[in-house]
Amino acid sequence: AAAGILCYVGAYVFITYDDYDHFFEDVYTLIPAVIIIAVGTLLFIIGLIGCCATIRESRCGLATFVIILLLVFITEVVVVVLGYIYRAKVEDEVDHSIQKVYNRYNGTNPDAASRAIDYVQRQLRCCGIHNYSDWENTIWFKQTKNNSVPLSCCKAALSNCTGSLTRPMDLYSEGCEALVVKKLQEIMMYVIWAALAFAAIQLLGMLCACIVLCRRSRDPAYELLIAGGTYA
């Protein structure tokens, strides 16, 4: 179950990142997600090893289980550290790239950047970088010369909005930069909390395995019972 949830979290990060990748040029931000998917896959195999070792009362198997869990635990600690590092970098990355993305917008023949902007403005209910007036400085706005912003800036409840700057009350007033930063930081926090939660579960797993190992090594009655002998 833990393995499945970890893989889900990693996949969620990949899918969500794909919607915002134009605003974040540093692909290394996906490293925590890659690691957490790998850990989830490995954790499934480790879980099977632990179950088999416990059922068979294999001391060697349990010791191997504890060692592997310890390595995975260390990996998840690395994921948490990387998550915090890249979470701190999000604001600088978005600030560096968002102006270039808006300047590549082409409403008449949408490319990937245009679709990304329209998607973000609709999903996050924002308009422009800091507010809708930022569109006046874009190449697309100067070429169209119709004093309007993209329809993705229109409030969802309005059906007759044309994006005209003469009716600013029809447009989203909040800029997209702060909301994109917030969204990307939330995504990174999902990874951090998932890694912390399952690191705690793995600590419990290591503790239980160690208890079983100690019982096998210290309790002669337990050993004789398993071997089918008697204890006087």
Side-chain angles (χ1 to χ4, degrees):
I5 294 172
L6 281 176
C7 289
Y8 171 80
V9 171
Y12 171 77
V13 172
F14 266 102
I15 293 170
T16 309
Y17 180 88
D18 188 55
D19 297 327
Y20 297 90
D21 60 349
H22 287 83
F23 302 93
F24 204 87
E25 298 175 345
D26 188 357
V27 295
Y28 295 107
T29 309
L30 288 176
I31 289 178
V34 173
I35 295 176
I36 208 169
I37 289 176
V39 166
T41 305
L42 182 61
L43 197 58
F44 178 76
I45 300 171
I46 294 169
L48 292 178
I49 294 173
C51 288
C52 293
T54 304
I55 293 170
R56 294 171 62 87
E57 296 290 346
S58 169
R59 186 172 181 178
C60 180
L62 283 172
T64 303
F65 176 65
V66 171
I67 292 171
I68 297 175
L69 270 186
L70 179 61
L71 293 175
V72 174
F73 174 79
I74 294 171
T75 303
E76 290 187 334
V77 172
V78 171
V79 169
V80 172
V81 173
L82 288 176
Y84 273 108
I85 290 173
Y86 288 120
R87 186 176 181 274
K89 292 176 60 178
V90 164
E91 188 169 358
D92 290 338
E93 284 287 334
V94 173
D95 184 60
H96 178 262
S97 62
I98 195 168
Q99 184 65 58
K100 292 187 291 185
V101 177
Y102 270 81
N103 280 331
R104 293 205 306 267
Y105 186 85
N106 186 335
T108 57
N109 183 25
D111 56 7
S114 300
R115 290 194 299 271
I117 290 174
D118 285 332
Y119 173 83
V120 166
Q121 291 191 152
R122 288 193 180 98
Q123 290 296 313
L124 301 184
R125 299 186 176 187
C126 58
C127 184
I129 299 174
H130 302 102
N131 54 58
Y132 56 81
S133 65
D134 292 323
W135 277 104
E136 297 180 42
N137 300 319
T138 62
I139 297 173
W140 172 81
F141 184 89
K142 294 172 182 176
Q143 288 177 340
T144 56
K145 299 178 180 179
N146 59 4
N147 197 38
S148 64
V149 296
L151 295 179
S152 56
C153 282
C154 293
K155 293 179 180 178
L158 301 176
S159 58
N160 59 347
C161 175
T162 61
S164 174
L165 289 179
T166 59
R167 293 182 58 84
M169 69 290 294
D170 293 347
L171 310 175
Y172 294 123
S173 58
E174 194 167 358
C176 293
E177 182 177 6
L179 295 178
V180 169
V181 169
K182 181 181 178 182
K183 183 68 175 180
L184 290 171
Q185 288 179 338
E186 285 177 355
I187 294 170
M188 201 57 62
M189 282 304 299
Y190 292 149
V191 175
I192 292 171
W193 283 113
L196 284 174
F198 291 105
I201 293 174
Q202 284 162 225
L203 275 177
L204 180 61
M206 285 188 285
L207 178 62
C208 292
C210 287
I211 290 172
V212 174
L213 282 171
C214 290
R215 285 180 60 188
R216 282 188 56 83
S217 61
R218 295 180 182 178
D219 190 348
Y222 180 77
E223 291 286 353
L224 286 169
L225 181 62
I226 296 299
T230 58
Y231 182 68

